[in-house]
Amino acid sequence: MSTIIYPSPIFGPIHSRRLGISLGINLLPADGKVCTFDCIYCECGFNKDHRTKTPHPTREAVAEALEAKLKEMHEEDIRPDVLTFAGNGEPTSHPYFPEIIDDTIRLRDRYCPQAKISVLSNSTFIHRPKIHEALTKVDNNILKLDTISADYINKVDRPTQPSYDVGRIVDGIKSFNGQAIIQTLFMKGTSEDGIDVDNTGEAYVAPWLEAVRDIAPREVMIYTIDRETPDKNLLKATREELDAIRDRVVALGIPCTASY
Ligand code: SF4
């Protein structure tokens, strides 16, 4: 098993027990990874090992490839449950992300009106008014918030923007007024650099819960490592640990799912 670089701009559909039939939309180049984070657990690998040499797919290329795939699926009577923006990095970094969302809504309405549109984002561009507005148009605006410890984020999520400020990110997620889903990865162990990366303890969970309560998202999704990670020392959080954290979120009156 190794880290994954996804085809671009369309991949799948992938059949998953949790999402159903999910068609992937990857707005990053097909030959590497482009992200404003460099998470040590990223299934695509470290940024430095996957530099890209080709450009992002154009808005037109995304729309054409998506329409061709949706037509093909329609003819084969395969109905996607969800169109998921994910892949080799941060989807909202694409210069035409807002326009691509509009194209995707149009194509979804035409070929598979039952399908939801999900965006998996690391939240780094949510302050840009056009990105914020585009994210309000999708069904599932899924925003990463692994912790509110700046120190932990710098060691684990490793933002590439020196200006990254987790307090500002929390305010940005809050500004969706409940129309956001928070996604948080919990894990354990010590990184290859000897850093303790366990964020399942009270020192991390309690302030994170405070932030979740303050943001009041529509839902929270917690999960743990599922695939090979570029840092080989990381460990999964246990089912019991995830269930305990999930129960504390639910006790705040916020729906929460845990994936193991
Ligand atoms: S935000 Fe996502 S794509 Fe970017 S480095 Fe982290 S896990 Fe990988």
Side-chain angles (χ1 to χ4, degrees):
M1 203 168 64
S2 61
T3 51
I4 304 168
I5 293 295
Y6 290 92
S8 170
I10 304 298
F11 62 95
I14 292 165
H15 298 249
S16 101
R17 233 179 359 172
R18 199 158 53 93
L19 299 174
I21 300 175
S22 168
L23 185 65
I25 305 173
N26 175 16
L27 300 186
L28 292 312
D31 64 341
K33 178 189 166 198
V34 182
C35 196
T36 44
F37 274 2
D38 191 14
C39 301
I40 62 173
Y41 59 75
C42 180
E43 63 179 29
C44 297
F46 290 130
N47 292 357
K48 68 176 171 50
D49 296 331
H50 300 283
R51 301 280 182 222
T52 57
K53 296 184 184 66
T54 58
H56 287 67
T58 63
R59 171 187 178 181
E60 293 72 23
V62 175
E64 275 170 28
L66 180 59
E67 180 156 25
K69 189 69 188 179
L70 290 178
K71 249 187 201 165
E72 178 191 310
M73 291 172 72
H74 189 70
E75 281 159 13
E76 291 171 0
D77 206 21
I78 302 171
R79 293 161 204 270
D81 296 300
V82 58
L83 309 180
T84 307
F85 284 83
N88 307 338
E90 174 52 33
T92 65
S93 67
H94 191 290
Y96 290 95
F97 177 77
E99 292 82 0
I100 291 171
I101 289 295
D102 289 339
D103 294 342
T104 303
I105 291 170
R106 178 175 52 79
L107 292 169
R108 183 274 308 271
D109 291 350
R110 179 161 175 201
Y111 292 101
C112 52
Q114 79 291 342
K116 305 287 186 208
I117 297 175
S118 296
V119 178
L120 293 168
S121 167
N122 66 17
S123 315
T124 46
F125 292 114
I126 56 177
H127 299 94
R128 296 187 178 176
K130 285 189 171 176
I131 301 293
H132 185 284
E133 189 193 342
L135 289 172
T136 63
K137 297 180 186 174
V138 304
D139 300 288
N140 299 315
N141 170 28
I142 304 173
L143 301 175
K144 181 188 284 296
L145 183 69
D146 284 343
T147 172
I148 61 156
S149 159
D151 191 43
Y152 187 92
I153 289 175
N154 284 331
K155 288 174 182 159
V156 173
D157 293 343
R158 306 192 305 171
T160 58
Q161 302 158 308
S163 59
Y164 182 89
D165 172 357
V166 66
R168 189 160 175 255
I169 296 295
V170 168
D171 288 343
I173 302 176
K174 205 171 161 182
S175 73
F176 285 100
N177 296 320
Q179 286 313 306
I181 297 171
I182 290 179
Q183 189 181 56
T184 301
L185 182 131
F186 288 98
M187 65 178 176
K188 303 174 65 155
T190 305
S191 73
E192 287 174 350
D193 294 337
I195 298 162
D196 180 359
V197 295
D198 186 342
N199 64 340
T200 64
E202 197 58 18
Y204 290 101
V205 174
W208 171 84
L209 277 170
E210 279 293 308
V212 167
R213 188 211 311 258
D214 188 35
I215 293 168
R218 190 180 89 202
E219 187 184 334
V220 175
M221 296 173 169
I222 62 172
Y223 65 117
T224 190
I225 297 163
D226 189 30
R227 300 210 171 94
E228 184 172 339
T229 54
D231 186 313
K232 307 294 178 209
N233 280 4
L234 311 177
L235 300 173
K236 285 170 83 90
T238 66
R239 178 181 287 258
E240 292 70 28
E241 286 160 340
L242 289 181
D243 284 350
I245 297 168
R246 177 201 60 202
D247 291 348
R248 291 174 72 179
V249 176
V250 171
L252 298 176
I254 299 168
C256 181
T257 56
S259 305
Y260 316 102

